[in-house]
Amino acid sequence: MKLWGGRFTKPTNELVDAYTSSIGFDQKLAKYDIQGSLAHVAMLGQCGIISQDDAGVIADGLKQVLNKIQAGEATLSEADEDIHMNVERLLIEHIGPVGGKLHTGRSRNDQVALDMRLYLREAIVDIIGLLGAVQTALTKQAKQHLDTILPGYTHLQRAQPVLFGHHMMAYAYMLQRDVERLQDSWKRVNKMPLGAGALAGTTFPIDRQFVAKQLHFDDITENSLDSVSDRDFVVEFLSAASLISMHLSRLSEELVQWSSAEFNFIELDDAFSTGSSMMPQKKNPDVAELVRGKSGRVFGHLMGMLTTLKGLPLAYNKDMQEDKEGMFDTVETLKGALGLFAPMIETMHVKQDNMYQAVRNDFSNATDLADYLVEKGMAFRESHAVVGHAVLYSIEQGKYLLDLKLEELQQFSDLIEEDIYQALAPETVVAARNIPGGTAKERVQEQVDNIEALLAANKNWTEEQAAKLEG
Ligand code: ARG
């Protein structure tokens, strides 16, 4: 007999049970479901909706049910559809009919909305922590490479030299925005929906604020229809997660390129690389490739959730049960990637000589020759053309600008003097970008100092929230 079986005259078709049940995946919510039920039953007792004695018996029973589930000793059944009804069934089996009082003034619709928020709060705190570890690893590499110069690229063509530290900090700031996006979503996730009932509220004199306090929510949701229909917070999380995945994927792509023989800029640690079953010489950047590849499923979950929601009338519809697997998978995919990225970046060996050679054997100081002529009075558009000719000449000679003799350079402009060699040296070229956000060493150092302050603030935020969630 189903918990809702009263108005039915025959059992559900087994295929229907198998198709509609969510217990196969929503058992992940057991802990949050019971956490929410404990707050709900405490409130029922407090408000005199059920007796304090009954509330106490139910609370004890719920804790035992959680222990049983966590120990793998509880039988969860498809016939009970989802985690909410499985818990209720187990509770009643455990403490008898008094367990049937738990669901007073509540529906699975507001219950599942609550569970999703409880789950996501923890996931957000964890993910911000993991992002912090990757940012820290990037910052460590940056600090070790405040003198390491490599070509910066546009169109994947060597463009202007930059410090490797500058390149690392670019990613640290992308991830910082990701952290801030998740923190910002907090004010929308951290609202308590229970009390919405099935859709219209409840006739019982419940105290929603009491429940919100117990569960450390900042506030309660404002509208019962919205409370049970809203999955914006899931979409918002999937969207933030997609951006994180996209950032990690771009960095992955660079790691893959840099560790190729063609670039030969870095070597990933053996512990974070894999071999080939056929080619003994191979060392593959599988982790980076897979992180790049897995961005696809995260983007897919975002599209899936938006599509599921877009045509739904108010309020709850069963379609919304589809909110879970994509969210769980996204959380696990991100945690896996971020957990690996921190040590992989930290242990990455940077081949600074190869990077330097790539800068030296290149025309990435061409802009600086143009700027040099501008400083000596030539209009930039004219100097651009002059340098274009000089580059063409060099290519024909099989040389780079710094290899040309002074007389050769002076064919293009008599403004060029002996100091040109100093001006075009990679170190000078980098140091000259000395404006806020530029690649000059002290500017990269500023970025490092700034990100370290932000990282400390992120850490405080995370610890504060984690303490509340545990408390
Ligand atoms: N398993 C359902 C879900 O995840 C719980 C809510 C079900 N509500 C209902 N009226 N069938 O969405």
Side-chain angles (χ1 to χ4, degrees), residues 3-106:
L3 289 176
W4 43 252
R7 63 100 66 219
F8 289 78
T9 55
K10 44 162 110 155
T12 323
N13 182 299
E14 276 173 28
L15 290 173
V16 172
D17 275 341
Y19 190 71
T20 60
S21 80
S22 52
I23 189 62
F25 47 87
D26 70 7
Q27 48 187 282
K28 272 205 177 59
L29 294 174
K31 175 177 121 185
Y32 310 95
D33 195 69
I34 288 176
Q35 191 188 355
S37 285
L38 285 169
H40 178 67
V41 79
M43 181 276 292
L44 292 177
Q46 182 73 23
C47 296
I49 297 168
I50 64 172
S51 75
Q52 287 283 18
D53 284 352
D54 285 350
V57 172
I58 293 173
D60 287 344
L62 282 168
K63 287 175 198 160
Q64 288 171 37
V65 168
L66 179 59
N67 287 340
K68 270 187 108 174
I69 294 177
Q70 287 180 334
E73 288 161 11
T75 323
L76 301 170
S77 88
E78 242 173 26
D80 283 329
E81 209 176 307
D82 54 26
I83 188 62
H84 324 294
M85 291 209 294
N86 269 278
V87 167
E88 197 176 328
R89 160 89 71 199
L90 290 165
L91 178 69
I92 293 169
E93 277 170 17
H94 214 67
I95 62 171
V98 65
K101 295 190 177 186
L102 168 65
H103 210 49
T104 312
R106 189 178 69 173

Side-chain angles (χ1 to χ4, degrees), residues 350-385:
V350 175
K351 301 181 175 176
Q352 43 192 101
D353 292 345
N354 293 353
M355 289 181 175
Y356 193 82
Q357 279 314 307
V359 171
R360 179 60 187 79
N361 298 324
D362 183 42
F363 291 98
S364 60
N365 50 5
T367 315
D368 293 76
L369 176 53
D371 290 353
Y372 171 95
L373 292 170
V374 167
E375 264 170 46
K376 303 225 165 177
M378 194 181 283
F380 179 74
R381 201 38 70 207
E382 190 188 337
S383 71
H384 186 286

Side-chain angles (χ1 to χ4, degrees), residues 4 20-23 25-26 29 81-85 107-113 116 198 231 316-324:
W4 43 252
T20 60
S21 80
S22 52
I23 189 62
F25 47 87
D26 70 7
L29 294 174
E81 209 176 307
D82 54 26
I83 188 62
H84 324 294
M85 291 209 294
S107 154
R108 277 184 295 151
N109 298 350
D110 55 352
Q111 190 179 357
V112 73
M116 294 289 284
R231 293 293 183 275
Y316 177 84
N317 302 269
K318 183 72 167 178
D319 314 48
M320 293 166 77
Q321 182 167 286
E322 286 292 302
D323 59 359
K324 290 173 197 60

Side-chain angles (χ1 to χ4, degrees), residues 189-441:
V189 177
N190 203 26
K191 285 195 171 184
M192 208 291 297
L194 223 54
L199 74 164
T202 173
T203 55
F204 293 98
I206 61 166
D207 183 346
R208 298 188 61 205
Q209 288 291 357
F210 178 95
V211 178
K213 261 216 186 84
Q214 292 256 311
L215 296 170
H216 309 285
F217 280 98
D218 295 329
D219 212 339
I220 56 175
T221 55
E222 298 82 357
N223 176 300
S224 65
L225 290 166
D226 184 32
S227 304
V228 291
S229 309
D230 169 25
R231 293 293 183 275
D232 295 9
F233 62 97
V234 179
V235 173
E236 205 175 337
F237 171 74
L238 294 174
S239 156
S242 294
L243 284 168
I244 296 171
S245 303
M246 182 272 286
H247 289 151
L248 293 181
S249 183
R250 293 182 76 168
L251 179 51
S252 297
E253 170 65 13
E254 304 226 63
L255 297 180
V256 170
Q257 285 181 5
W258 289 343
S259 47
S260 70
E262 284 69 15
F263 274 82
N264 201 15
F265 282 178
I266 61 161
E267 183 172 354
L268 294 171
D269 194 83
D270 276 2
F272 296 96
S273 309
T274 47
S276 155
S277 59
M278 187 187 185
M279 299 166 283
Q281 84 284 11
K282 289 294 290 289
K283 179 168 165 183
N284 296 330
D286 276 24
V287 173
E289 292 169 80
L290 212 42
V291 168
R292 187 178 61 188
K294 281 177 189 281
S295 61
R297 66 201 287 162
V298 175
F299 301 169
H301 295 320
L302 171 62
M303 278 308 123
M305 189 74 257
L306 283 168
T307 310
T308 292
L309 291 172
K310 85 175 182 60
L312 299 185
L314 298 185
Y316 177 84
N317 302 269
K318 183 72 167 178
D319 314 48
M320 293 166 77
Q321 182 167 286
E322 286 292 302
D323 59 359
K324 290 173 197 60
E325 287 160 289
M327 180 181 74
F328 294 149
D329 184 65
T330 298
V331 169
E332 274 148 38
T333 302
L334 275 191
K335 282 187 178 177
L338 292 167
L340 274 167
F341 245 75
M344 185 167 73
I345 293 290
E346 196 175 330
T347 55
M348 160 179 89
H349 170 64
V350 175
K351 301 181 175 176
Q352 43 192 101
D353 292 345
N354 293 353
M355 289 181 175
Y356 193 82
Q357 279 314 307
V359 171
R360 179 60 187 79
N361 298 324
D362 183 42
F363 291 98
S364 60
N365 50 5
T367 315
D368 293 76
L369 176 53
D371 290 353
Y372 171 95
L373 292 170
V374 167
E375 264 170 46
K376 303 225 165 177
M378 194 181 283
F380 179 74
R381 201 38 70 207
E382 190 188 337
S383 71
H384 186 286
V386 165
V387 177
H389 292 130
V391 167
L392 192 60
Y393 171 83
S394 305
I395 292 171
E396 280 163 10
Q397 301 291 312
K399 291 179 179 171
Y400 297 100
L401 292 173
L402 277 174
D403 304 327
L404 298 182
K405 295 199 192 75
L406 189 56
E407 307 81 77
E408 288 178 286
L409 283 164
Q410 283 171 339
Q411 305 171 78
F412 303 101
S413 167
D414 50 17
L415 294 174
I416 299 176
E417 292 168 86
E418 187 62 42
D419 61 352
I420 190 61
Y421 295 103
Q422 176 61 27
L424 295 189
E427 292 77 5
T428 318
V429 167
V430 165
R433 266 77 188 169
N434 191 1
I435 47 105
T439 198
K441 182 174 178 175

